[in-house]
Amino acid sequence: MKTFYITTPLYYINAQPHLGHTYTTLVADCLSRYKRMQGYDVCFLTGTDEHGQNIERAADSQGVSPQVLANQNTEAYRRLWSQFDIKYDSFIRTTDDHHYAAASQIFKRAFDNGYIYKGEYAGWYCIPCNLFASEADIAPNCEVCNRPTERVVEESYFFKLSAFQDRLLDLYQKKPDFINPSFRRNEVINFVSSGLKDLSVSRTSVTWGIPVPLSGNHVIYVWFDALVGYLSGIGFGDPKRQEEFKKFWPAQVHLVGKDIIRFHSVYWPAFLLAAGIEIPFKVYAHGWWLQDETKMSKSRGNVVDPIQLLDHFGGDAIRYFVLREISFGADGNFSYDALIQRINSDLANDFGNLVSRTLKLVSKAFGKTFPEFSDLVIADKERELQGQVTLTIKYYEEYMNKLAFSKALEVIWNLLSQVNKYITDSAPWKMIDDESQRTHLATILLTSTEIIRIVTVLLSPILPGSCSKVWNQLGIQEKLDKQRIDKLEWGNVVGGCTLGKIEPVFPRLDKKSIIKKLVGPLGANDGKKKITSGEKVTMSKDTPLAKESGSSDIARIKIEDFTKIDLRVGQVISAEKVKGTDRLLKLLVDLGTENRQIIAGIAQSYKEEDLVGKKIVVVFNLQPRKMRGLDSNGMLLAASIGEDENPVLATFSEEVPNGARLK
């Protein structure tokens, strides 16, 4: 049997999963189900990346050990994937014992082959991205996330990335399909052609990681460590699982976000070549989901919570929306309006209504049992639809093989449009009481039902739960997940089957009601659900504020309103005046898990040098905004005193760790 190995990134567990993580994993799940339908022996791997300085800092800010934080957040990923009905075959954690062994073995192989050496690293490092930046006189912003980098000077093991420049360029030329989409390939080629520098692959300032097998005080660079998860997750390094590794490696496709394409198309193949291991067949980088045309991120406070989406829309509707709304590889702008429109128009009307009205007509005309095909009279309309079904299957498979999910769904919906028109034009409901039209009625309903059967199979990788419900209503005994696309053809499948219980699969949504719950006065679920720091909350100008009887005109807020605000302890790293203003200062603030730039109007009250090292209170989940052309990502808390309302920063008299929450 042919094998197919597909992976998602190993998600970094310094925070809870969001829509970006969910998107990649839903795509992988859809593709793995589709390849099984093609007859492949599939291995679908996902997992979590649990080492590095980010995790140390995040754990310290929460007063727990890195392992405890890793366990908590990894469980959040597992739970979410289960709620979305994601069927992975392997879940690798970089804290697993067998992964330690695999990462150590790859590191040692590269060293023994002459591609790793010891030296000293001095340069700029982005902690959130675990990425080394280009050398500069002052701290450059990270080219991936645009956050300021930190200066690092320490002993390090280096990987001879420079030795692979020509080999990588040769790879991209001989295997143009290695990097997808093609415009990402061009970006990578330009980066490699500009010259590769040797890469630091160990740290001594971090303890939370896999020890370098050559030295006790070094840990392996977190990206080297994490990428090896694609090997350890299918048995590399485990003597008992070598056949499994040989069976599935090399991977057919690594699915990644566009921000980590370099790690997977430059560093990863170089690491593998250095260790004498085959490289994967394909890396496919998808775009970002944007909110208000801006990338979703926890630091910006504009992420869409997948749990919230599940609560209101269900997993299948989300799966359909993210695969249909944009071409895979491009950026997409998320909006609830577009999501509800897709659910009501595409799922409820085009597909759901077709199923309900067809099966209800079958039940009314023929009872619980479908008539047989043998007595049907097939005319030109039916032959045309049969031919359209054959073309739909052909184009669906072509598009799915190219990961063009939106186009694959488009050809299915073209077929659904035709069969809906066929039923409307034929008006079978007018024939139910006319015995002379009995054969014609059976022809219309069985033709429509046969198309529903075939469409249900084609949609099952995208809408597994909903298609299972439709399948049960059709009464077909053979299991849906056993259907093979090469066997999917027009035939007497439903004839003689007994209908299941007919009920709506995609109820229509009340748009106004849903939007009010999601972004109304009290935010998600009208305040019934606690809002986490990463969720976007829109406060209406008409938010009801309770006033206490007998008090002044102070507007009182409810506890639900206060829980939306995420306050964190920060420490000022640097401060400088914003050019052209007397009032604004540009601050770099350490918030435990990350550094943020905040623009604050406190220059007339504080000198720059007096602020460095000061502990302050920051509104962590405030939407970022532009001030004098500069990004401000948060807000400081301060009191106003005197007639001029001079600001006085809120601070602490006792030692409090950076990133600690105020409760």
Side-chain angles (χ1 to χ4, degrees), residues 570-583:
Q571 186 171 22
V572 179
I573 299 173
S574 65
E576 61 179 276
K577 282 190 176 180
V578 175
K579 292 181 181 180
T581 74
D582 295 324
R583 191 173 60 87

Side-chain angles (χ1 to χ4, degrees), residues 171 175 178 249-251 268-270 272-273 277-282:
L171 165 67
K175 296 184 177 180
F178 176 66
W249 189 262
W268 181 223
L272 290 169
L273 290 169
I277 297 175
E278 286 184 85
I279 63 170
F281 288 100
K282 183 180 295 187

Side-chain angles (χ1 to χ4, degrees), residues 153-396:
V153 180
E154 62 184 353
E155 182 182 77
S156 177
Y157 283 92
F158 285 82
F159 178 78
K160 291 183 180 178
L161 187 62
S162 57
F164 291 91
Q165 180 169 334
D166 292 340
R167 293 176 70 178
L168 289 171
L169 291 173
D170 186 57
L171 165 67
Y172 307 147
Q173 182 178 6
K174 290 181 177 177
K175 296 184 177 180
D177 207 30
F178 176 66
I179 303 172
N180 297 272
S182 58
F183 58 87
R184 300 288 175 214
R185 175 176 174 267
N186 297 333
E187 291 174 10
V188 172
I189 289 175
N190 290 336
F191 169 74
V192 175
S193 298
S194 67
L196 294 178
K197 296 181 179 179
D198 291 352
L199 179 69
S200 173
V201 288
S202 76
R203 302 292 301 275
T204 57
S205 58
V206 181
T207 59
W208 181 241
I210 298 176
V212 169
L214 312 170
S215 175
N217 66 333
H218 287 250
V219 298
I220 298 174
Y221 173 45
V222 67
W223 267 106
F224 192 108
D225 161 9
L227 289 165
V228 175
Y230 300 138
L231 305 178
S232 62
I234 54 171
F236 179 85
D238 184 347
K240 297 179 181 178
R241 298 175 63 193
Q242 286 310 292
E243 289 305 313
E244 178 187 351
F245 173 71
K246 292 177 182 177
K247 176 182 178 181
F248 286 110
W249 189 262
Q252 270 64 41
V253 60
H254 290 314
L255 291 179
V256 301
K258 67 179 183 180
D259 51 337
I260 55 174
I261 183 66
R262 186 182 304 170
F263 296 99
H264 289 80
S265 60
V266 180
Y267 302 161
W268 181 223
F271 295 159
L272 290 169
L273 290 169
I277 297 175
E278 286 184 85
I279 63 170
F281 288 100
K282 183 180 295 187
V283 176
Y284 206 116
H286 62 73
W288 291 331
W289 278 100
L290 309 175
Q291 180 82 296
D292 301 325
E293 304 300 331
T294 304
K295 181 194 174 187
M296 294 183 190
S297 73
K298 299 291 283 188
S299 60
R300 291 187 177 94
N302 68 338
V303 297
V304 173
D305 182 2
I307 295 294
Q308 187 182 29
L309 293 178
L310 276 169
D311 289 345
H312 289 283
F313 305 106
D316 276 7
I318 307 307
R319 295 170 74 107
Y320 176 78
F321 176 77
V322 298
L323 290 169
R324 179 71 193 275
E325 188 69 7
I326 60 170
S327 297
F328 189 63
D331 290 343
N333 196 52
F334 179 88
S335 78
Y336 291 112
D337 187 82
L339 172 58
I340 295 170
Q341 177 67 23
R342 284 287 184 197
I343 292 171
N344 284 343
S345 176
D346 296 10
L347 297 179
N349 283 0
D350 296 340
F351 184 41
N353 188 50
L354 170 65
V355 173
S356 292
R357 68 172 176 168
T358 301
L359 298 190
K360 285 178 180 177
L361 285 168
V362 170
S363 178
K364 188 172 183 180
F366 300 101
K368 287 283 186 178
T369 304
F370 285 99
E372 297 287 350
F373 273 53
S374 55
D375 297 329
L376 303 187
V377 178
I378 304 300
D380 288 344
K381 287 183 179 180
E382 287 75 34
R383 292 191 186 93
E384 183 180 337
L385 282 172
Q386 289 181 31
Q388 192 61 41
V389 165
T390 301
L391 286 175
T392 297
I393 295 171
K394 175 180 179 290
Y395 287 122
Y396 166 86

